[in-house]
Amino acid sequence: MTHRYLKNVVSLELDKDKCTGCGKCTEVCPHNVFIIENGLAEIIDRDRCMECGACANNCPFEAVTVEPGVGCAAAIIKGWLTGSEPSCDCSGGDSSSCC
Amino acid sequence: MQINSTTTQLRFNDIIGSWKARWGINRMNYKVDPGVYSVGAPDKESPVLVTANYKLTFDSLRKELKGLDVWILVIDTKGINVWCAAGKGTFDTEEIVGRIGKMGLAEIVSHRIIVLPQLGAPGVSAHELTKRTGFRVIYGPVRAKDIKEFLRAGMKATTEMREVRFGFVDRLVLTPMELVGSIKTSVAIFAVMFLLNLIAAKPFGVVDLYAFVGTVIAGSVITPILLPWIPGRAFAWKGWLMGMIWVVTVIILNGWPISATFGTIRGIGYLLALPAVSAFIAMNFTGSSTYTSPTGVLKEMKFALPLMVISAGAGIIALLISLFI
């Protein structure tokens, strides 16, 4: 049974003019969002993207962009309350934590 | 340079330690020392596997290395697993570059390849790491159990090895932490219920207690376990639905609305307040899941949070009223 999250939300973009088809994005993506077709990367299923940022960080040609972050409601709430960026820091020091 | 040796055999203490970590006991201090570890009898040609210094991570890697001669480079992720550490920036290019230099990895092996866990990729820039250290980065499989096959295939991972899953067992092992996370708030709520009972005409009883406990379990255990089978996509919705099914069950079991052991107003209070609670708990499970995007979570929250607040607020008012009439 595969998991499906919300449709048409993610910030993932691929600039095919910069892509060289090196395939690094297919190597790092944990949800097989990319394939290499006709020598270039192709996004086959955007809705599977979880915006982890692995593809953008590891693309040597800056062809992939995404706004990375933590898909964690508790972190987002904490970010609102403390006025900081949401992060997985609920595990720091505190004994109760998320991930 | 000091090299530690390690084994592929987990001992009794390792198993107890992992069980404790899953229940949140000493979980944030379950670490191994960063550095280079040898498995078997590695030489200058042997592969280098990089991992985090969370002991659960280190153990799950080394137990898959039976019969292999490899180096493990443990970097300092402050005792956090690879994926979370990559997300929060402790499994990153900087730390690996520093550790390679500090440990003199270029002296230990003659080749210039390091194998990083694929889930470390969100924190690392492979091309930058190569530029700074001369080591080429190959991302290994997501799961340690595929390492052997990956190495045998000449450091090639299949599409299947590259995909993160979130299967039944993966979700099940997370539920103790979800439950433990709800205990503190639950105890506070019980305390308030107890205090209210001192002045109430119709105090809270056993039904109220198990209605609430069941709601917490619906959100923190049942929703994670049944996750892919519950219709809908948003976590808050899934949690709300499970909570609602539970509340309706409780109400029917107690003969409502015909001959309720508790009044109509309290029943309405349950229906409004409790599913909102399980929805909130389930929504927070997005952080433990392996497939939710921050943009998606934000969208879900903007929709669900106001509804939860309104519903829970109205429900609490109804419950308070039910104590006195």
Side-chain angles (χ1 to χ4, degrees):
Chain A
M1 191 97 191
T2 53
H3 300 275
R4 307 290 305 181
Y5 198 46
L6 309 186
K7 281 181 254 186
N8 296 322
V9 289
V10 296
S11 57
L12 178 70
E13 297 293 341
L14 169 67
D15 184 346
K16 286 207 172 178
D17 294 336
K18 291 184 182 166
C19 178
T20 64
C22 74
K24 206 70 187 171
C25 49
T26 62
E27 189 181 326
V28 296
C29 178
H31 289 293
N32 291 327
V33 168
F34 300 92
I35 52 163
I36 300 293
E37 205 171 56
N38 303 324
L40 288 179
E42 181 95 47
I43 295 174
I44 49 167
D45 193 347
R46 285 174 62 85
D47 291 341
R48 281 213 299 251
C49 172
M50 60 173 293
E51 303 179 313
C52 71
C55 51
N57 267 351
N58 285 279
C59 175
F61 310 99
E62 294 172 0
V64 194
T65 50
V66 65
E67 282 172 42
V70 287
C72 171
I76 293 172
I77 292 172
K78 199 178 171 211
W80 286 341
L81 295 178
T82 59
S84 57
E85 277 290 297
S87 81
C88 280
D89 265 344
C90 49
S91 26
D94 194 347
S95 61
S96 63
S97 58
C98 58
C99 60
Chain B
M1 185 50 60
Q2 159 132 29
I3 292 171
N4 310 292
S5 69
T6 186
T7 60
T8 59
Q9 200 69 46
L10 297 194
R11 296 185 196 289
F12 185 65
N13 275 349
D14 301 326
I15 292 159
I16 294 291
S18 76
W19 184 87
K20 279 161 71 180
R22 289 292 183 198
W23 282 91
I25 303 165
N26 195 28
R27 178 162 171 266
M28 285 307 139
N29 198 25
Y30 199 47
K31 301 174 190 174
V32 290
D33 290 330
V36 175
Y37 291 78
S38 65
V39 177
D43 59 20
K44 280 185 170 282
E45 305 296 319
S46 302
V48 178
L49 309 176
V50 180
T51 195
N53 77 328
Y54 184 32
K55 191 159 184 310
L56 268 189
T57 304
F58 182 70
D59 283 354
S60 62
L61 172 63
R62 68 192 176 96
K63 82 173 163 63
E64 300 299 338
L65 303 175
K66 284 190 182 70
L68 297 179
D69 300 312
V70 295
W71 302 104
I72 302 179
L73 178 67
V74 175
I75 66 163
D76 186 7
T77 59
K78 317 283 179 220
I80 308 288
N81 72 68
V82 171
W83 210 7
C84 288
K88 60 198 284 178
T90 51
F91 194 105
D92 68 346
T93 314
E94 202 60 45
E95 165 61 23
I96 301 170
V97 169
R99 196 61 58 184
I100 287 174
K102 214 180 286 175
M103 300 312 298
L105 190 65
E107 308 294 315
I108 297 173
V109 291
S110 56
H111 62 75
R112 288 296 172 262
I113 293 172
I114 51 172
V115 177
L116 260 54
Q118 188 194 326
L119 293 186
V124 177
S125 172
H127 50 281
E128 196 198 318
L129 201 148
T130 305
K131 214 183 289 170
R132 290 175 59 184
T133 63
F135 278 90
R136 193 156 68 86
V137 173
I138 296 180
Y139 286 104
V142 166
R143 285 164 292 274
K145 71 168 183 62
D146 292 327
I147 280 274
K148 246 184 204 174
E149 191 50 44
F150 165 83
L151 292 175
R152 198 177 300 144
M155 296 198 178
K156 285 207 163 49
T158 62
T159 311
E160 186 143 77
M161 290 183 198
R162 293 249 172 264
E163 190 170 17
V164 164
R165 294 188 214 125
F166 199 38
F168 185 80
V169 175
D170 300 329
R171 302 194 301 274
L172 189 67
V173 298
L174 296 175
T175 56
M177 268 320 283
E178 298 300 311
L179 206 51
V180 170
S182 317
I183 285 176
K184 227 192 270 176
T185 321
S186 300
V187 168
I189 289 171
F190 291 150
V192 172
M193 285 164 84
F194 178 78
L195 290 176
L196 285 168
N197 270 2
L198 297 177
I199 52 165
K202 291 178 186 165
F204 290 120
V206 178
V207 177
D208 304 272
L209 192 71
Y210 77 69
F212 180 78
V213 171
T215 302
V216 171
I217 292 172
S220 63
V221 180
I222 305 298
T223 307
I225 287 177
L226 299 181
L227 197 65
W229 299 292
I230 304 171
R233 297 192 176 207
F235 280 44
W237 155 257
K238 288 171 190 268
W240 182 87
L241 189 62
M242 290 301 103
M244 193 51 140
I245 290 171
W246 167 247
V247 174
V248 169
T249 308
V250 169
I251 285 175
I252 290 170
L253 283 177
N254 286 281
W256 199 69
I258 304 118
S259 61
T261 49
F262 46 85
T264 307
I265 298 174
R266 190 163 296 178
I268 291 170
Y270 285 157
L271 287 168
L272 288 169
L274 296 183
V277 171
S278 58
F280 183 78
I281 296 171
M283 190 179 75
N284 284 326
F285 192 64
T286 49
S288 301
S289 82
T290 60
Y291 67 97
T292 55
S293 60
T295 316
V297 174
L298 196 60
K299 185 181 175 187
E300 163 169 350
M301 289 172 74
K302 280 183 173 162
F303 182 78
L305 265 181
L307 292 178
M308 285 177 203
V309 171
I310 293 168
S311 181
I316 288 167
I317 291 169
L319 288 174
L320 289 176
I321 293 170
S322 78
L323 288 175
F324 299 100
I325 57 169

